């Protein structure tokens, strides 16, 4: 079962920052937080992952709270092409098989 | 390399027929995964291979399902005696052999059983 809780849907205005929250209150040890997104009729796409520190790449920023019980994915300037389902996934450090356990995700709608 | 490719993209079959899907992973990736996704749900893990060895299978993978990766390159997923409940998107992904690394997904094969 997924160890994360996300709001089922969110709206964001084009050009504004989209802040997608994720609760992982039962996160333990050195479990990683991953974010993927899935645009309609496509396979999931990796966005970013982190352990304890905040992370940034060309797509997004990941803010993890100090107690690691929640995180926020930030898309700094959302575009219409960012409309997708966003999945937050907690993955254990011994996940040598790299299997992913997806939850229901957040459906982000970017509006003009 | 153009990423993970899956064939066909869409398949409509009659109940009781057998179907086979193919996945070509990124060439240097040793690991290959199959996931299933039903409408409105997130993908669910089915099975994965490291090279030609099938290392893990989910309990979702009933005995009507079989997956192979004979030469450690492409993989096939066969469903025998299809049922309407098998209608779903079947996704393939690949990764290198590293713990906690990103997965690259294909576009999926959408199966409709009528």
């Amino acid at each position: 079962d997924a160890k994360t809780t996300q709001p089922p849907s969110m709206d964001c205005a084009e050009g504004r920052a989209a802040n997608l929250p994720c609760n992982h209150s039962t996160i333990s040890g050195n479990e990683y937080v991953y974010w993927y997104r899935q645009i309609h009729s496509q396979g999931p796409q990796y966005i970013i992952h982190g352990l304890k520190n905040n992370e940034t790449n060309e797509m997004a920023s990941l803010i993890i709270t100090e107690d690691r019980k929640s995180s926020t994915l930030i898309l700094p300037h959302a575009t219409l092409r960012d409309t997708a389902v966003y999945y937050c996934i907690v993955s254990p450090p011994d996940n040598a098989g790299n299997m992913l356990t997806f939850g229901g995700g957040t459906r982000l709608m970017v509006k003009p | 390399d153009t990423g993970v490719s899956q064939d066909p993209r869409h398949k409509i079959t009659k109940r009781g027929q057998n179907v086979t899907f193919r996945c070509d992973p990124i060439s240097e990736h040793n690991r290959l995964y199959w996931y299933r996704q039903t409408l409105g749900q997130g993908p669910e893990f089915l099975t994965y291979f490291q090279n030609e060895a099938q290392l893990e299978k989910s309990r979702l993978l009933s005995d009507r399902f079989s997956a192979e990766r004979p030469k450690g390159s492409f993989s096939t997923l066969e469903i025998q005696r299809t049922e309407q409940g098998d209608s779903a998107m079947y996704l393939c992904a690949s990764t290198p052999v590293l713990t906690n690394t990103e997965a690259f997904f294909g576009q999926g094969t959408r199966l409709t059983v009528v």
Side-chain angles (χ1 to χ4, degrees), chain B residues 87-108:
Chain B
S87 295
M89 174 79 85
Y90 290 85
L91 293 159
C92 177
S94 71
T95 73
V97 180
L98 292 170
T99 300
N100 279 305
T101 186
E102 64 186 90
F104 294 81
F105 283 81
Q107 302 273 49

Side-chain angles (χ1 to χ4, degrees), chain B residues 18 57-67 78-81 83 86:
Chain B
N18 299 344
K57 291 193 284 188
S58 160
R59 56 184 166 77
L60 294 174
L61 210 67
S62 78
D63 55 8
R64 295 185 298 105
F65 287 67
S66 62
E78 182 183 17
I79 309 174
Q80 296 183 327
R81 304 181 304 280
E83 301 172 357
D86 297 330

